[in-house]
Amino acid sequence: MNVFRTTTILAALSSLLPGTIATKEHHTSACSAATFKSLSLDNIKLKSFNVTAHHELSTSGRNATGGVGVVPDLPNVETPTVDICLISLTYTHPGQDDTVNTYIGLPLDTSEWNSRFLMHGGGAYYAGGPSSVLTPVLLGYASSSTDGGHGPATSIADWGLTSHGKTNWPALRDFSSVAISEAAVLGKMATKLYYGSKAKYSYWHGCSTGGRQGHAMAQEHPDLFDGIVAGASAINWDKFAAAGIWGPVIAQLLDSKPPLCVVEAFTQAAIAECDGLDGVTDGIIAYPGQCHFEASSLVGQKVNCSDPNGAVTIAKEMAELISAVWDGPRSKDGRSLWYGFDHDSSLGAMIGTSCSSIENCTVIPFSVSEDWVNSFVVRNPSFDVENLTHNGYDLIFRQSVNQYASVIGTSNPDLSKMKKSGTKMLAWHGMADQLVPTNGSVDYYERVADLNANVADYYRLFLAPGVTHCGFGAGFDPSETVFDTMRAWVENGTVPDRLKGLAVAVGNTSATRTGYLCPYPQVFTYTGGDVNAASSFTCV
């Protein structure tokens, strides 16, 4: 789908007729504060309000979200520009001492609007911003976004903690869901004020944090959207974020801090062992549940590294560290706390190291998790997670869940409001995700299905073997096709029984191959024949 277009021939002709108002000058004048004077909500107090018409605004800074795979069908032009009516609002919720910035983008020329509304999600602690509306407008959509109550340059501790070192609950709620829903309402209000009619269809499209935001809307405000695309969703945030420091904690307890080349050696060995379980040697572990590779099998082997330079003999503690990250965090008494990562997931983010020499490395914790634990759980930005004991880690995990599950966990399986509203949600997750464990999405889907046997009527989950966080990797990546699939489901009733993904062709790195991913719990299965042909795979 390519809905980007210049002024249509009809509009161009009408602009030459006497009495027409379809001119750029008219659109520029309509893009004024007077048009949007009623734009507000009952529960907010505006602090500032600005409306600006931009001609040929560069979109080169779009989607600075900290994630990937969130842009649908960008036109194939080198330096796209857009004519946009850009509205910026700054407001507060009386009594909460917060500051929220919301941005609304509208195609300046009314003939360029495709009668739809689209919001893009954020990444990590970035909720959104003015650049997030540029691509939707470029594609003909009205759009809105929000900073979630804090700017991208603001440190987590600065917005997450009050001056007294306590959790800034209003700011966290803004980031979690409040500011997102308000941006949607304000954006749709502005759309009607500018074009004189409501959007025919409204969509959410996000990955990572954007996927979590999409799930938050599905659980709390499904009436705001007709379709929600949620990729690699960072739901179960209270558990996922605390689980992200498990690697550094275990590395410290085992006194094992291997260079990344050693960590990667374990991943590559696992892929070599389990790649062919599906009958295809393509660098993908398609059946992770059948991969029983033991990290301990590499103990005693040598790994030659170039950065840093030198040879490392794999020790028992190194294998135990890798096994712990694959397995996921466990309490001191052995209880599983959360999911680990599949064997073909790169583990550099979970147990990354910085080395001055082959024998002198320090662990670099996953920044999202380290910031979460330091700012929200321990409430001490200087806290060093590597100094935790196992009992100390257990305490932090419990505190994260107990204090924050209801605020930002985003894991409520009751989607009855979404079902009633008629909203559709299409979720997908790469099975080689190296940041957000894939099984967190599976766990959520199964809990939703336990409440409603007909869940597939309105919510579907697709797993993508070999695909990394929000896209890329050796597997069939659906990030460029998923939004079209959602639109077809919403607007045409085309049920997504398959989801198109693209991968590098086996034996030809300059070509691509197509695969059609399966809705969970069906499994993407090779049936024989040409491994580069889509017809050689089916869903079982």
Side-chain angles (χ1 to χ4, degrees):
M1 176 190 67
N2 186 343
V3 297
F4 174 67
R5 56 193 184 280
T6 56
T7 306
T8 61
I9 296 175
L10 179 61
L13 291 173
S14 66
S15 68
L16 301 177
L17 299 176
T20 183
I21 60 172
T23 66
K24 285 185 179 289
E25 289 76 11
H26 167 71
H27 300 306
T28 300
S29 63
C31 180
S32 64
T35 299
F36 304 102
K37 61 184 178 181
S38 62
L39 186 61
S40 187
L41 300 174
D42 292 339
N43 64 324
I44 69 174
K45 180 180 179 181
L46 287 177
K47 300 173 72 173
S48 67
F49 178 71
N50 182 266
V51 181
T52 307
H54 294 278
H55 292 279
E56 298 184 354
L57 179 67
S58 173
T59 62
S60 60
R62 65 185 179 273
N63 293 317
T65 63
V68 295
V70 296
V71 184
D73 303 296
L74 191 63
N76 185 23
V77 289
E78 292 184 3
T79 55
T81 62
V82 63
D83 292 344
I84 183 174
C85 181
L86 186 62
I87 306 164
S88 301
L89 303 92
T90 301
Y91 63 86
T92 184
H93 298 95
Q96 297 190 14
D97 195 30
D98 60 347
T99 300
V100 179
N101 291 288
T102 290
Y103 309 93
I104 301 168
L106 307 168
L108 190 62
D109 189 329
T110 57
S111 68
E112 296 298 321
W113 182 44
N114 65 10
S115 299
R116 295 167 176 82
F117 179 80
L118 168 64
M119 289 183 69
H120 275 168
Y125 291 101
Y126 176 84
S131 65
S132 298
V133 305
L134 297 182
T135 294
V137 173
L138 180 67
L139 296 171
Y141 295 83
S143 184
S144 65
S145 186
T146 176
D147 68 355
H150 62 271
T154 307
S155 74
I156 310 305
D158 283 346
W159 68 263
L161 296 174
T162 67
S163 58
H164 302 292
K166 299 182 182 299
T167 298
N168 188 339
W169 290 104
L172 185 61
R173 292 188 181 95
D174 286 340
F175 171 67
S176 178
S177 63
V178 171
I180 307 300
S181 61
E182 290 171 346
V185 173
L186 289 166
K188 295 171 78 171
M189 288 174 61
T191 299
K192 184 176 182 181
L193 289 171
Y194 192 69
Y195 300 112
S197 60
K198 297 190 299 183
K200 291 181 180 179
Y201 302 101
S202 296
Y203 296 99
W204 175 272
H205 190 192
C207 193
S208 192
T209 283
R212 188 200 62 76
Q213 293 168 324
H215 275 81
M217 295 301 98
Q219 294 164 23
E220 301 175 28
H221 305 282
D223 56 303
L224 293 176
F225 299 96
D226 299 293
I228 296 171
V229 173
S233 298
I235 53 175
N236 313 288
W237 182 283
D238 52 309
K239 296 178 180 177
F240 140 78
I245 65 166
W246 172 245
V249 170
I250 292 299
Q252 182 70 18
L253 295 176
L254 292 171
D255 192 22
S256 178
K257 302 171 184 178
L260 285 175
C261 50
V262 174
V263 174
E264 182 62 19
F266 282 96
T267 302
Q268 293 305 315
I271 293 174
E273 177 76 16
C274 300
D275 182 358
L277 291 174
D278 62 341
V280 183
T281 302
D282 53 4
I284 300 170
I285 299 179
Y287 299 160
Q290 297 181 20
C291 181
H292 303 299
F293 176 78
E294 296 289 344
S296 59
S297 65
L298 296 189
V299 172
Q301 295 189 20
K302 283 191 176 181
V303 178
N304 294 313
C305 301
S306 59
D307 183 20
N309 187 50
V312 178
T313 299
I314 294 177
K316 175 174 67 71
E317 292 79 10
M318 295 177 184
E320 290 175 355
L321 173 61
I322 299 298
S323 294
V325 178
W326 280 340
D327 187 44
R330 288 186 176 274
S331 64
K332 184 70 178 293
D333 61 7
R335 290 180 297 106
S336 176
L337 299 176
W338 195 238
Y339 299 102
F341 292 86
D342 286 342
H343 286 67
D344 57 345
S345 300
S346 174
L347 300 181
M350 294 299 113
I351 45 176
T353 53
S354 176
C355 304
S356 59
S357 69
I358 199 69
E359 297 178 346
N360 187 12
C361 299
T362 57
V363 174
I364 304 173
F366 179 38
S367 60
V368 171
S369 294
E370 183 180 34
D371 287 338
W372 174 255
V373 169
N374 289 6
S375 297
F376 289 98
V377 184
V378 181
R379 300 180 180 89
N380 176 6
S382 300
F383 184 76
D384 187 350
V385 299
E386 290 185 68
N387 290 330
L388 282 168
T389 64
H390 205 144
N391 286 331
Y393 177 78
D394 290 355
L395 177 60
I396 279 179
F397 197 95
R398 288 197 304 271
Q399 288 176 330
S400 181
V401 174
N402 292 340
Q403 295 178 44
Y404 296 105
S406 63
V407 178
I408 196 172
T410 325
S411 57
N412 182 0
D414 183 3
L415 295 182
S416 56
K417 288 196 298 184
M418 190 179 95
K419 178 182 179 182
K420 184 178 180 180
S421 69
T423 302
K424 311 294 186 186
M425 182 160 67
L426 202 164
W428 70 275
H429 208 137
M431 294 166 67
D433 196 316
Q434 73 279 25
L435 301 181
V436 180
T438 307
N439 280 328
S441 289
V442 174
D443 178 278
Y444 178 75
Y445 185 87
E446 289 181 339
R447 289 192 294 116
V448 175
D450 285 343
L451 296 179
N452 190 337
N454 298 320
V455 61
D457 292 345
Y458 55 91
Y459 172 34
R460 296 194 171 204
L461 169 66
F462 289 82
L463 301 181
V467 176
T468 59
H469 187 62
C470 289
F472 303 109
F476 292 97
D477 181 0
S479 61
E480 297 301 319
T481 64
V482 63
F483 185 72
D484 281 353
T485 303
M486 169 55 74
R487 272 194 52 171
W489 193 11
V490 169
E491 299 181 22
N492 304 327
T494 305
V495 178
D497 290 328
R498 301 289 184 270
L499 179 59
K500 182 180 179 181
L502 301 175
V504 174
V506 176
N508 185 355
T509 57
S510 63
T512 60
R513 58 177 178 150
T514 299
Y516 292 90
L517 303 174
C518 314
Y520 183 83
Q522 295 182 45
V523 177
F524 185 66
T525 304
Y526 174 65
T527 57
D530 183 359
V531 297
N532 290 321
S535 58
S536 298
F537 297 82
T538 190
C539 294
V540 177

